[in-house]
Amino acid sequence: MKLDNLDLRQLRVFLTVADCGGFSQAQAELNISISTISIQMSDLETRLGMRLCQRGRSGFSLTKEGERVYSAAKTLFSQIDGFNNEIHDLRQELSGKLLLGIADNLVTHPNPSISQSLHQLFNMEGKIEAAISILPPNLLEREVLDQRLDIAIGAFPKQLPGLHYQPLFTENQILYCSSKHPLFNSNTDKLSLQDLVKHKVAQRGYTAGRPHPSNIKTAGSGALSYQMEGLVYLVLSGHFIAHLPDHLAQKWVERGAMKALNPQGLGYESTFELIVRAGTHASPVLKAFKQCLATCLAAKKKGTLL
């Protein structure tokens, strides 16, 4: 069979339905009705001569044929995007969409390089679009590997094959308790790990079960979050202590609602990295953003970034 524009549109609908996990979930993403999605999926299945997915009371799932078509379609659109990027390069056009992923609650970080890089990018001439996703580190890596993101910035517990990692800047992680916690009114300047065995620690979901500075072994845990904001809620409950970025916790510390526990002895430093998928051709917009980021980081290092 030969593909035409209608086939490509229907394949994009199929990919969105598969990524969203069903027709109703894909409705908002595609901005079309469920009945239209159903018609387009049925037409695509008829065109291909195979069943791509199961849908009904038991839920949504891809058939074996659907999984292979999904993989082939991802490769196809990746190659189309690569072709478009090459043409933009040849024509020296700055045009396209930047799919950027960023770790949650990084917006309060004292290093403004990300926002300044976006400022510089949108000052450039050309048709530039951007879509920003705020996700925990494990999902950022998965989205870049699956080519749903062009680039991502986060603190990653360990490096995965298939991704290229570039260090950007650091962040101070400090152990905190709230004003409702028993440790709040005690002398915590010389607090040690041995002093924490009776207290519950809220863990990060993406580091749970792995060796990581934030995973303090104590007698009690029972709570975790994949987002920093969730850890803040757990700390403020008064039942848990947890490591938080110092810039994120600062406003609660200033209000007297949180307290740092021996920052020098129990804190640690996280390195934030830029990740891209290894072996892929960078679009002109992605190249431009990376250059803006490099310029802003250099200016920050010299003390000239506003």
Side-chain angles (χ1 to χ4, degrees):
M1 60 174 290
K2 293 183 179 181
L3 291 173
D4 59 24
N5 288 334
L6 179 59
D7 295 323
L8 293 176
R9 286 198 295 271
Q10 291 174 346
L11 281 171
R12 288 191 185 277
V13 169
F14 167 62
L15 288 180
T16 303
V17 170
D19 288 337
C20 293
F23 289 19
S24 58
Q25 295 91 327
Q27 185 178 8
E29 184 78 17
L30 293 168
N31 196 29
I32 57 177
S33 67
I34 294 179
S35 60
T36 302
I37 294 174
S38 181
I39 291 170
Q40 294 200 25
M41 286 291 293
S42 296
D43 288 346
L44 179 62
E45 288 177 328
T46 300
R47 177 89 163 111
L48 297 177
M50 64 186 72
R51 185 85 165 172
L52 298 177
C53 59
Q54 303 290 345
R55 56 265 195 192
R57 293 182 179 179
S58 60
F60 176 88
S61 63
L62 294 180
T63 62
K64 290 182 179 180
E65 293 81 5
E67 290 176 356
R68 292 185 63 178
V69 171
Y70 176 88
S71 178
K74 293 286 284 188
T75 301
L76 170 65
F77 287 116
S78 175
Q79 292 171 342
I80 291 174
D81 291 340
F83 173 80
N84 288 331
N85 291 336
E86 289 285 357
I87 298 302
H88 288 313
D89 275 350
L90 289 171
R91 296 172 62 178
Q92 297 184 331
E93 289 181 347
L94 184 57
S95 177
K97 189 172 186 177
L98 177 69
L99 302 176
L100 171 63
I102 307 175
D104 66 306
N105 285 296
L106 196 55
V107 69
T108 55
H109 194 284
N111 189 325
S113 298
I114 298 174
S115 57
Q116 288 294 331
S117 300
L118 291 169
H119 172 74
Q120 290 185 13
L121 179 68
F122 285 107
N123 275 344
M124 296 179 176
E125 292 185 6
K127 290 186 63 177
I128 303 171
E129 298 179 54
I132 297 178
S133 300
I134 306 298
L135 297 167
N138 59 318
L139 292 185
L140 289 174
E141 290 174 311
R142 186 188 306 170
E143 294 293 287
V144 173
L145 280 171
D146 291 343
Q147 297 180 293
R148 287 190 286 267
L149 289 176
D150 299 320
I151 187 171
I153 297 171
F156 304 101
K158 85 176 199 182
Q159 295 190 354
L160 300 180
L163 293 173
H164 175 70
Y165 294 76
Q166 177 187 340
L168 298 178
F169 49 81
T170 60
E171 178 181 76
N172 292 321
Q173 300 281 340
I174 298 175
L175 193 64
Y176 290 93
C177 73
S178 81
S179 58
K180 301 173 185 176
H181 195 276
L183 287 173
F184 189 81
N185 294 317
S186 61
N187 182 6
T188 58
D189 292 340
K190 296 183 179 179
L191 200 67
S192 67
L193 289 175
Q194 289 73 25
D195 298 320
L196 302 177
V197 292
K198 295 181 180 179
H199 300 281
K200 296 180 180 180
V201 179
Q203 295 184 332
R204 301 172 189 196
Y206 47 87
T207 65
R210 300 181 185 176
H212 192 267
S214 65
N215 290 339
I216 301 173
K217 294 183 179 179
T218 65
S221 181
L224 59 82
S225 174
Y226 284 84
Q227 288 82 27
M228 289 297 170
E229 186 175 347
L231 291 178
V232 171
Y233 279 117
L234 291 169
V235 170
L236 291 174
S237 75
H239 290 274
F240 301 92
I241 57 177
H243 281 97
L244 298 171
D246 58 354
H247 58 88
L248 174 61
Q250 183 178 354
K251 62 181 177 182
W252 286 283
V253 172
E254 291 173 351
R255 296 174 189 168
M258 278 190 194
K259 179 181 180 179
L261 305 176
N262 189 9
Q264 302 302 319
L266 298 175
Y268 67 93
E269 193 175 74
S270 289
T271 298
F272 276 78
E273 298 172 292
L274 175 154
I275 60 171
V276 294
R277 194 171 186 265
T280 55
H281 180 84
S283 69
V285 173
L286 177 54
K287 288 180 181 178
F289 175 74
K290 290 177 69 176
Q291 183 57 52
C292 290
L293 187 57
T295 301
C296 290
L297 289 169
K300 173 65 177 176
K301 193 173 183 179
K302 293 178 181 178
T304 58
L305 182 64
L306 298 177

